[in-house]
Amino acid sequence: MGHFLVDFMLGIWPVFKTMAGLDLALAGFVAGGCVVFGEGIQGYVGALCDRGYQRILLFVGIGMPCAACFFGYSQSYVFFFCFYLCTCLGSAAFHPTAASILSNLNTINRSSLMGLFTASGMLGLGISQVLYAWIHYSNNGSTAILALPSVVLAVITYFFMHGKVAIPAEKKQKTSSLSLYMRFLRIKELRALYVSMLGNQIVLWSLVFLLPDFLQERGYAPWVVFGGGHLFLMSGAALGPPVLGYVADRISTRYVITFTSSFTLIGFYLLLAPAILTQEVLFGLLFMLGSMLGSVPPLICALVAQMVPQHKGVVSAFLMGFVWIFSESLGLGLSGYLATLFSEAPATSALALMGTVQIVSCFANLQLPKTDEEVVIA
């Protein structure tokens, strides 16, 4: 439920900026700047999580993102920045904490479990734009009601989950997350996983950010532009991870990651091809892309948690924090800036440039570990 609500709030800005007619470059810089300042604390959060502060982190992580519900009450980019910064700070508190709690569960189906966790977030992200646009137009711009579920769940989490998420004393360790990051990156297999996930997420966030504008350029119906296309993209991202996680648990996580990255590259440029796709083909292609893009992060998180079990919280922050900082800031900020450089089909042209990052991911996959053996961090 928490992942659903947090990611719901993260999905509001891309459609709001199109509905409000904001400048794409400024909207991208707002998002990118907030990601760097907000999501950047995930490293510290990972260390706090390993020391047993999950309850307060979950409370903050679920409650703060609802600031996104108040974008429509202002016309100032300063307030937009403040609201989005709160959203990113909450996301940074929630994601590594929740992922660490799940990875501490004793189960052989870790990839499937992480897939279900990711699916709930993708589902929230998927319906966010449709529901936000509907509430916005139905209530003359008043969207504060959307914050209520997050506030209620945050309070419930704070008062009723204490003791259920605490970790054993022997696992509470003081770790220097930054020094661990540097040691992670010196290991070829972990570095390859990081690069693979980074490229995947840059493409995903670029597509999420510019999809309303891309669909508007192609002349699709308003309901498709303001949330319909995004819903199919995120529906794929919600349904794909559990299925591919199940396959990975029984075949090979490495092979599944390699397949999905290669298929994403092909599907992405099919979407951008000059031919106008029928609405049915568009939805099918967006669903497929969502399935591929949404499945890579939980697969990589599950694989790394198995390889480095002694630092699960920091590892979650390593993959989510460092990846999210660069992927969201580049995917949102750079794609918005690139769109302003083109006078004809700006969103399509910007996406075509951003998609080249996926080629790097495909090459990184060639160096992925062939086994799930534990890695010792020297």
Side-chain angles (χ1 to χ4, degrees), residues 222-259:
W223 77 270
V224 178
V225 173
F226 298 117
H230 177 82
L231 176 60
F232 277 89
L233 178 70
M234 291 299 110
S235 294
L239 297 177
V243 175
L244 291 177
Y246 177 85
V247 174
D249 283 332
R250 281 146 185 82
I251 300 179
S252 167
T253 303
R254 175 179 179 266
Y255 291 152
V256 174
I257 292 172
T258 302
F259 168 80

Side-chain angles (χ1 to χ4, degrees), residues 1-7 62 94 153:
M1 292 174 65
H3 203 194
F4 175 91
L5 291 171
V6 171
D7 283 20
I62 296 172
F94 176 81
L153 184 61

Side-chain angles (χ1 to χ4, degrees), residues 140-151:
N140 297 318
S142 178
T143 54
I145 187 67
L146 290 171
L148 183 60
S150 294
V151 173

